[in-house]
Every structure is written in structure tokens, then in C-alpha cells.
Amino acid sequence: MAIDVVSAIDARPSRPIDMVGALAGDFSVEVTPAAASRIDSFQAVLPGGTRVFVPSLPGGDPGERERLARRLVGEGMVPVVHVAARGVADAAALRGHLDRLAADGTRELLLIAGDVARPAGPFAGTIELLASGALDGLPFATLRFAGHPEGLAGVAPHSLDRAVADKLALARDRGIAIEFVSQFAFSARPIAAWVRRMADLAPGTPLRIGIAGPTSLSTLLVYARQCAIGASVRALTRRPWLVGRLARNWTPDRLLDELARDRLHGRLPGTLGLHLFPFGGFGRSAAWVQSLGQAARRGHAAMN
């Protein structure tokens, strides 16, 4: 799949204001414990009730995630704590972690396999973790799982589809609401295709579209390689004449414009929200997404 980096950098979008406002109206963002330590007040930069994802990094301390989740609850946010199945050393340690999160008010989790080749304990992936009963009896109201618009290296598409079906069945059996959150991509085409595919596989299931927040293009490429956004990165690196542009900034405005138009014309079905990866800094990304809602409100007022 080709990536239109030039338009992503240079174009000034003319977006359908109402559609952008609707997409941006339900946004989430993630923050690491290290980044959170530099934020004096989440209430100063985010609307109350914003979902803030707390990632599980390889080698990270579960206690840091627990303390950050407790802080987010105290500041009126909704923490969504990542649980990496392959990083779980044993079921008892996982249960203790989940008990503490629940006791402090966390009600939503993102279950991921985890970016390690070998499991540290009994779980090879999210399905094994969910099937184990580790969450039974705990008050988690919503579970989220990762989606992959550009596929997943080493995994056949039919295997990804089967995993979606298995997760739906397990969550349904336990009476738990679920949502899928996508990895980011550089253009709307793979995202829209993923949304339509999920509408067939998991009809009625909410989806959250991952987008990379404002940052330098060079920084974005570093994260893209780490996150295995392979097709987009390979297409870019075949175009060496773009190297001189790498110091310039990426913003997701063009991408959001394309998504809003797809939504307007019925090519982006279902219940959708946005999830922001703040590669250029948490404050910068939070300000950008809030500015979208403000612009949409101004545009709506002007039209009326």
C-alpha cells in the first residue's frame, strides 16, 4: 500500500466540519507513567471523563500503572490500563494487580498480547488470559482489544479474523462490553477497510481509530517501525527524495479530513471514536484534538 506523505505534510485540508467534530467528540489518549509525572494536572489539559490509556511497556512496573490509574480516577478521568498477556509472570501476580486496579476505581482494560517473543508465564495471548477466568468476579465493565489496519507481521488475515470471533464469544459469555482500538496508519484507506471488515466480523461493536498526534515526521517514522507499521514505512523508504522533508512536521489533519469524508459518504460505518498516540508529547496532542472540537463548534455556529 502506498503512502501519500507529500499530501500528509503539505496539504491544507478542507474538512466537513460536523463530521470532524463528531469523530473528535469521543477521543481518548494515552500517557506513560514517565510522561504523566511531567503533567501537573490532567484536568487542565483534558475534559473531565476523558479516557486515558496507561500502556504496559516491556519491563515496566505494574505498581506505576496502578498509581497512575489511581491518580487519573482522582482527577476525574477514566483510566484504561493495558494488560500485556505475555508479560504476566503468573496468574496470582496478575490477579493481585487487577484487584488493586479495581479497588482504586479502574473499570476498563485494554488486553494485548505484548511485544515479547516468549511469554513470561502461562499466557500466550489475550484469548488464553480471558479464557483463564482471571477477570471473573472483578468489576471491569469494558474490555478493549487491539486492531491492525495493516495486518500483523507473521499472522495470516484469517487468523486475525478468527481471533476477533473468539474474543467476541468469550466476552459475550462473561457479559462484558468490548471495543477494538486500532493501531495507527498514515492514510485513511487501510483504516476504512479495517472498519468495514470489523463491521462484518463484529457488527455493532464500537471501534476506536488510532491516529498519531502532531510530531516531527522523523519521530513518527521511529515509532512506526517500532509498532510494525511495515507497509507504510517501506513505501516511504523507497522514496529517498523525501529525506529532505523529514525535519518537517506531521499532523493528522489530512488523515482526519479523509476519514471524515469517508464517514460522510457512508464508507466508515458503525460507532467510532478516535484514539490519539501522543508521539510528539502529551500536551501537544491533547491541545490539537481539543482544537478540533472547538473549530467544529465555531463552524456549526457560523452556519446557523
Side-chain angles (χ1 to χ4, degrees), residues 130-131 143 145 164-179:
L130 189 55
L143 296 180
F145 300 97
V164 169
D166 289 344
K167 290 166 186 174
L168 285 170
L170 285 167
R172 190 182 302 117
D173 288 346
R174 287 158 175 74
I176 300 173
I178 69 172
E179 180 180 80

Side-chain angles (χ1 to χ4, degrees), residues 76-100:
M77 305 297 143
V78 178
V80 182
V81 180
H82 293 202
V83 176
R86 292 176 190 162
V88 174
D90 61 75
L94 172 64
R95 184 65 186 216
H97 177 51
L98 296 176
D99 282 340
R100 290 186 292 274

Side-chain angles (χ1 to χ4, degrees), residues 40-78:
D40 292 332
S41 169
F42 285 98
Q43 294 168 316
V45 293
L46 294 174
T50 298
R51 284 176 171 79
V52 181
F53 285 55
V54 180
S56 175
L57 304 175
D61 177 8
E64 288 187 337
R65 296 195 295 279
E66 293 164 14
R67 290 187 289 275
L68 177 51
R70 186 185 313 126
R71 176 187 168 189
L72 289 165
V73 170
E75 294 193 30
M77 305 297 143
V78 178

Side-chain angles (χ1 to χ4, degrees), residues 21-295:
L23 284 172
D26 180 11
F27 81 92
S28 57
V29 64
E30 63 182 57
V31 64
T32 64
S37 69
R38 299 188 292 272
I39 300 169
D40 292 332
S41 169
F42 285 98
Q43 294 168 316
V45 293
L46 294 174
T50 298
R51 284 176 171 79
V52 181
F53 285 55
V54 180
S56 175
L57 304 175
D61 177 8
E64 288 187 337
R65 296 195 295 279
E66 293 164 14
R67 290 187 289 275
L68 177 51
R70 186 185 313 126
R71 176 187 168 189
L72 289 165
V73 170
E75 294 193 30
M77 305 297 143
V78 178
V80 182
V81 180
H82 293 202
V83 176
R86 292 176 190 162
V88 174
D90 61 75
L94 172 64
R95 184 65 186 216
H97 177 51
L98 296 176
D99 282 340
R100 290 186 292 274
L101 288 171
D104 288 336
T106 293
R107 295 294 179 267
E108 303 186 13
L109 303 174
L110 173 69
L111 302 184
I112 58 174
D115 190 20
V116 293
R118 285 192 172 185
F123 306 122
T126 57
I127 293 172
E128 291 84 354
L129 190 155
L130 189 55
S132 74
L135 300 176
D136 290 356
L138 294 174
F140 296 109
T142 303
L143 296 180
R144 290 178 170 82
F145 300 97
H148 305 279
E150 290 191 321
L152 194 58
V155 181
H158 67 84
S159 296
L160 290 176
D161 291 351
R162 182 62 194 171
V164 169
D166 289 344
K167 290 166 186 174
L168 285 170
L170 285 167
R172 190 182 302 117
D173 288 346
R174 287 158 175 74
I176 300 173
I178 69 172
E179 180 180 80
F180 287 87
V181 185
S182 83
Q183 185 55 275
F184 71 94
F186 288 127
S187 71
R189 185 180 299 174
I191 295 172
W194 175 76
V195 169
R196 291 192 294 271
R197 182 64 177 154
M198 291 298 293
D200 292 335
L201 294 172
T205 302
L207 306 176
R208 197 166 288 271
I209 295 170
I211 61 173
T215 187
S216 71
L217 188 57
S218 55
T219 296
L220 182 60
L221 287 176
V222 169
Y223 282 103
R225 290 188 178 97
Q226 291 176 355
C227 298
I229 312 300
S232 292
V233 172
R234 285 193 298 273
L236 177 62
T237 54
R238 291 192 197 107
R239 300 163 78 177
W241 54 272
L242 284 173
V243 171
R245 296 176 181 264
L246 293 183
R248 300 180 67 176
N249 287 334
W250 154 275
T251 71
D253 293 274
R254 181 70 178 182
L255 172 59
L256 192 58
D257 180 38
E258 294 170 358
L259 292 173
R261 292 188 183 283
D262 280 346
R263 183 72 161 172
L264 187 64
H265 295 292
R267 296 188 293 267
L268 211 63
T271 302
L272 303 177
L274 294 180
H275 179 64
L276 206 60
F277 294 91
F279 300 137
F282 182 87
R284 185 177 179 186
S285 289
W288 176 82
V289 77
Q290 288 200 73
S291 73
L292 295 177
Q294 293 165 0

